[in-house]
Amino acid sequence: MTDRHHLLVHGATFAAVGDRGDISGVRGGSPDGLFVRDARHLSRWQLTVDGAVPEVLTPVADGDAARCVLVPRGGRQDPPAHTVFREQAVGDSSFVESVRVTGNRPEPSTIRLALTVDADFTDQFELRSDHRTYVKAGAVRSRHVLSDGIEFVYRRAEWRSCTTVTADPAPDAVEETGTGARRLVWTLDLEPYGTTELLLRVIARPHGDRRTLRVPRDPAAVHRQLRIREEEFTESVAFPTGWPELAATCVRGLSDLAALQVPASGPDGEELRVPAAGAPWFLTLLGRDALLTSLFTLPYRPRPAAATLLALAAAQATGTGVSRVAQPGKIVHEVRHGELAHFGQVPFRRYYGSVDATPLFLVLLGAYVEQTGDTALARRLEPHARAAVGWMLDHGGLTSRGYLVYRADEGGLANQNWKDSPGAICCADGTRPTGAVMAAGAQGYAYDALRRTAGVARAVWADETYAALLEQAAADLRDRFQRDFWMRERSFPALALDGQGRQIDALASDAGHLLWSGLLDKEYGEAVGRRLLEPDFFSGWGVRTVASGQPAYHPLSYHRGSVWPHDNALIALGLARYGLHDEARTVAHALIDAAAPTGRRLPEVLAGYRRAPDTAPVPCPHAGGRLARSAAAPLALLTAVGGA
């Protein structure tokens, strides 16, 4: 049996365990361990019984709880002497497990149970197969035996993290293994058909975390906490009764979003909880992801939107930083808390390599005021909003180039729009542009941002002059865009312009974002909407990122032929905006069907293969386990089509 990884997520903490509940510490593209704030706080967690690895009777199943059943190795004529039941759960900076051993014979028995444990404190950037090595001069790991377990400590200059493992009952011994790991050992006496239980608790303390943590007693206590949090997200939402599959997918999405809330700080240091981008590798604040997630959930759960706006305002750039792509007024793209970010070995402590987070910040602010009527937040964030507009007009390029512009960042991201993988922005033949790039979708966001901010300026800030200025800038952008981006021979907008203003002519799903933003005239918008539902674009599971039939297309690529739920959610909203309600329903039904094989959880991305009868969608390689944008996408579909 191939040992798969199963994700358990709770806020900024996640664990990836194998089919038998073990953590092996393998380095590679998949996560393996307990992670808190970008560092691995458990790198080994391996159970043996009487010196042997037990066989899997029931493996860990995909879900929010990790439960498995194990037995000692044996044959058909020698039934197992005992059965091991493991249950695991992840809490806030913690991991808890119960190990229950039940005897299967009418006589007493004694077994030796051992748990090999280690914490290597590896930064997640070292585990993501980016083929880089990082020097950690002066780093020291130490281990300290406790009366009821073991503590692992990591130090490097001012950096200090630790992981504490305790057990009830306490282990009979803590043994060295010769590898740095430690082995906790128990000798357990079983009565005839009797049962005994161990409770194991892990506390992870990342650098700078001085909180007093209360670790739940057992996995059941963690599950109760998660259910309470999920109920807070799902209560009072009016789900469609006429479309139970959409309702179930919305409930699944809200439950995932409840688990994906991570801590952040507001402009005055207030404590907030905001949507993380997703597990495993992006369990942190990413500007674009948090903004789109908050926009999707806004009609049903406005609190994440308010928290996201405040957190991003607090992290807004006030100066210029070349390595971080920071400029005054720019909204942060990614925030990291790990060791490599702390010491500047990766640029992501606060990284601003995004051309679209800044306009989306303004879009969310305007939508939030319109949805909730909360003018107090708009007044509080007025300086931040004006600074964001200033960035778009100045450093962003709207005034000097006519469009929002980005250039590849050698130390960070080559592409800085939502399709941020290398080669994602390309011509129909697959060639990549060099130099400056003006991505179509970002111009739509800018247009919407200018219009919405004009509305806030007029209604909340009482600044008619500023409102008129922004409205004129939006109108000018719309006129320029339809002149420069529209490909007349294809009746479709270009994916982008290069630095010389030449059209990057791939037919791409970003055109649907222009419908969501309202940038296209009605005639153009209706033509684009119908074009997105033609067979080269629409796979049957959703709209492809790049239409098939072009040399650039590949069904298993990340951004050049795959199907993204959040991308399709924006398209559905855009189709509805232009009155293409049948087309919006077609997209919505395809996505809801795609969620059925995975317990109503929409994945990050699907392969672009055409849907065939009685088949399931094909997952895309290297797709993330849980993505906030995908979790929120069903709510956007509900907004677009209701219960139809």
Side-chain angles (χ1 to χ4, degrees), residues 517-559:
S517 300
L519 181 59
L520 298 177
D521 287 345
K522 182 175 177 58
E523 179 183 355
Y524 285 176
E526 290 176 350
V528 166
R530 294 190 177 97
R531 180 69 181 84
L532 289 171
L533 271 293
E534 292 184 14
D536 58 343
F537 262 120
F538 188 68
S539 73
W541 299 115
V543 177
R544 298 180 179 100
T545 45
V546 167
S548 63
Q550 303 173 95
Y553 169 77
H554 191 299
L556 293 175
S557 72
Y558 205 50
H559 289 122

Side-chain angles (χ1 to χ4, degrees), residues 105-460:
R105 293 179 177 170
E107 64 272 356
S109 61
T110 299
I111 66 169
R112 186 177 188 268
L113 188 146
L115 185 70
T116 302
V117 183
D118 200 5
D120 63 4
F121 301 99
T122 303
D123 192 291
Q124 74 159 33
F125 283 96
E126 300 175 83
L127 301 171
R128 282 168 50 179
S129 299
D130 63 358
H131 308 295
R132 300 181 187 180
T133 57
Y134 300 93
V135 176
K136 296 182 172 183
V140 176
R141 282 202 301 153
S142 58
R143 301 134 189 103
H144 309 282
V145 176
L146 309 174
S147 61
D148 56 354
I150 185 78
E151 182 176 70
F152 300 90
V153 178
Y154 176 81
R155 288 185 175 89
R156 177 186 172 196
E158 73 273 14
W159 186 271
R160 184 186 188 280
S161 341
C162 74
T163 299
T164 305
V165 180
T166 58
D168 181 15
D172 299 317
V174 178
E175 302 174 346
E176 295 193 18
T177 63
T179 64
R182 294 295 185 267
R183 185 182 297 113
L184 311 183
V185 180
W186 294 262
T187 300
L188 304 175
D189 295 321
L190 288 177
E191 298 294 329
Y193 300 113
T195 296
T196 188
E197 184 177 18
L198 299 176
L199 290 176
L200 302 158
R201 300 184 187 90
V202 180
I203 299 178
R205 294 193 179 280
H207 175 72
D209 188 352
R210 298 178 178 83
R211 296 175 299 161
T212 301
L213 292 174
R214 298 183 61 185
V215 180
R217 170 178 168 76
D218 54 27
V222 177
H223 299 323
R224 286 193 292 271
Q225 290 180 354
L226 286 173
R227 281 196 296 272
I228 291 171
R229 184 175 293 183
E230 289 174 1
E231 288 169 1
E232 291 175 353
F233 266 71
T234 57
E235 66 181 359
S236 303
V237 177
F239 298 115
T241 57
W243 191 357
E245 295 84 1
L246 173 58
T249 310
C250 287
V251 171
R252 174 75 270 178
L254 284 168
S255 296
D256 281 346
L257 288 173
L260 288 170
Q261 302 299 300
V262 296
S265 298
D268 297 326
E270 65 270 41
E271 294 182 357
L272 305 166
R273 298 194 72 84
V274 298
W281 296 132
F282 296 96
L283 206 55
T284 189
L285 175 63
L286 267 67
R288 178 193 305 120
D289 294 67
L291 289 160
L292 288 172
T293 299
S294 299
L295 279 161
F296 290 169
T297 59
L298 177 59
Y300 314 97
R301 280 288 172 267
R303 185 178 299 176
T308 294
L309 288 166
L310 289 167
L312 292 176
Q316 187 175 30
T318 57
T320 301
V322 175
S323 65
R324 298 177 296 118
V325 203
Q327 295 160 335
K330 202 173 186 183
I331 295 299
V332 73
H333 170 63
E334 184 170 352
V335 177
R336 289 290 178 180
H337 306 280
E339 174 190 0
L340 296 181
H342 176 83
F343 288 105
Q345 292 175 277
V346 295
F348 303 112
R349 188 172 187 176
R350 280 191 180 180
Y351 181 66
Y352 294 85
S354 164
V355 74
D356 49 16
T358 307
L360 286 171
F361 173 82
L362 295 166
V363 171
L364 179 60
L365 178 61
Y368 177 83
V369 173
E370 181 179 341
Q371 180 73 40
T372 67
D374 182 2
T375 58
L377 184 64
R379 284 193 291 271
R380 182 182 178 189
L381 295 182
E382 179 180 355
H384 303 278
R386 288 179 181 267
V389 170
W391 177 83
M392 288 201 306
L393 296 173
D394 185 7
H395 295 283
L398 277 183
T399 299
S400 60
R401 301 296 298 268
Y403 300 107
L404 293 184
V405 181
Y406 70 82
R407 293 168 180 80
D409 174 26
E410 291 185 5
L413 295 172
N415 285 311
Q416 295 171 26
N417 64 319
W418 87 263
K419 290 178 176 174
D420 59 3
S421 61
I425 302 300
C426 64
C427 295
D429 63 5
T431 57
R432 307 180 188 182
T434 59
V437 173
M438 292 160 271
Q443 316 314 320
Y445 306 158
Y447 170 77
D448 199 14
L450 292 167
R451 292 182 66 253
R452 289 184 184 271
T453 309
V456 173
R458 181 174 288 114
V460 182

